[in-house]
Amino acid sequence: MTDPMTHSDTRIALITGASRGLGAALAEALAPAYHIVAVARTTGALEDLDDRIKARGGQATLAPMDIADANAMATLCRGIHDRWGKVDLWLHAAIHAAPLTPANFIDAKDWSKSVAVNATATSVLIPYVSPLLGDSGRAVFFDDPQAGEKFHGTYGATKAAQMALARSWAAETVRTGPRVEVVEPRPMATATRARFHPGEDRDRLARPADEAARLLDLLQLR
């Protein structure tokens, strides 16, 4: 991460899974009201996002990191602490969408990667980010209930595990903070959706930018 901003009054939005889709749209929508810490594996996509944020008059810190790498996430959160001492808002949009497959043909590598990104990384990030959020920050998770749907065994099970963690954290912090919320986006014209529904009429789906705006209004974040 490279960015000179260290002002304690700067509002910080950490967005995991920020390179494309809903995560990128949220990052753009929140700039310039927040300084965006954008986390994703794809450097080129993050650089494109940075250009769009700058065009809106905002600023971003790019963190091309794998959220499944616990050491990288520790470095990320330590860097945020040293630079700003806090996170005001965490939006967790990162997800791994394994190929659709019958349960009796689930690939071991696809399963392991899905567990690592969708479930284990969330279990690592919550303890790391929680101290940065303190009692007044907010964390938002995005549900996509596919558990039990045919051919969605890997994705559905690991996404459900992520949501279970988020909802437990939300229940535990009602009195103490931070404020933890789970929202369900409408079907969007994203790469993940295209993998699950090839040939679908994408004109009938929400644009990520429109859905980001709707969710931020729902959450009263703008």
Side-chain angles (χ1 to χ4, degrees), residues 99-108 111 148-155 157:
L100 299 182
T101 185
N104 58 318
F105 286 103
I106 287 175
D107 180 79
W111 176 262
E149 295 294 325
K150 62 181 181 180
F151 310 127
H152 282 77
T154 300
Y155 175 80

Side-chain angles (χ1 to χ4, degrees), residues 68-115:
D69 183 337
N71 290 330
M73 292 303 95
T75 299
L76 169 74
C77 291
R78 179 55 189 264
I80 292 171
H81 176 270
D82 291 347
R83 196 160 287 153
W84 297 288
K86 63 165 185 173
V87 165
D88 298 283
L89 176 64
W90 173 31
L91 303 175
H92 187 48
I95 197 70
H96 176 66
L100 299 182
T101 185
N104 58 318
F105 286 103
I106 287 175
D107 180 79
K109 289 184 179 179
D110 287 335
W111 176 262
S112 295
K113 185 172 183 179
S114 297
V115 170

Side-chain angles (χ1 to χ4, degrees), residues 20 28 39 46-47 56 59 71 85 95 140 151 166 168 170 172 177 186-187 189 201 213:
R20 55 176 59 90
E28 289 184 64
V39 184
L46 286 177
E47 291 172 345
R56 297 174 66 97
Q59 290 186 295
N71 290 330
I95 197 70
V140 181
F151 310 127
S168 289
E172 294 154 4
R186 292 168 178 163
D201 182 1

Side-chain angles (χ1 to χ4, degrees), residues 132-171:
L132 295 169
L133 291 169
D135 58 8
S136 60
R138 294 176 70 176
V140 181
F141 296 83
F142 303 94
D143 199 3
D144 183 17
Q146 300 290 342
E149 295 294 325
K150 62 181 181 180
F151 310 127
H152 282 77
T154 300
Y155 175 80
T158 55
K159 183 65 176 179
Q162 182 188 91
M163 290 301 100
L165 283 166
R167 290 190 168 98
S168 289
W169 189 27

Side-chain angles (χ1 to χ4, degrees), residues 124-208:
V124 170
L125 279 163
I126 289 173
Y128 284 172
V129 179
S130 181
L132 295 169
L133 291 169
D135 58 8
S136 60
R138 294 176 70 176
V140 181
F141 296 83
F142 303 94
D143 199 3
D144 183 17
Q146 300 290 342
E149 295 294 325
K150 62 181 181 180
F151 310 127
H152 282 77
T154 300
Y155 175 80
T158 55
K159 183 65 176 179
Q162 182 188 91
M163 290 301 100
L165 283 166
R167 290 190 168 98
S168 289
W169 189 27
E172 294 154 4
T173 56
V174 168
R175 293 177 180 268
T176 62
R179 183 175 175 181
V180 180
E181 296 159 283
V182 175
V183 295
E184 184 178 335
R186 292 168 178 163
M188 292 173 289
T190 63
T192 297
R193 179 83 185 181
R195 290 185 69 182
F196 290 162
H197 300 275
E200 184 178 33
D201 182 1
R202 292 171 71 82
D203 290 338
R204 302 180 63 181
L205 302 174
R207 294 192 316 125

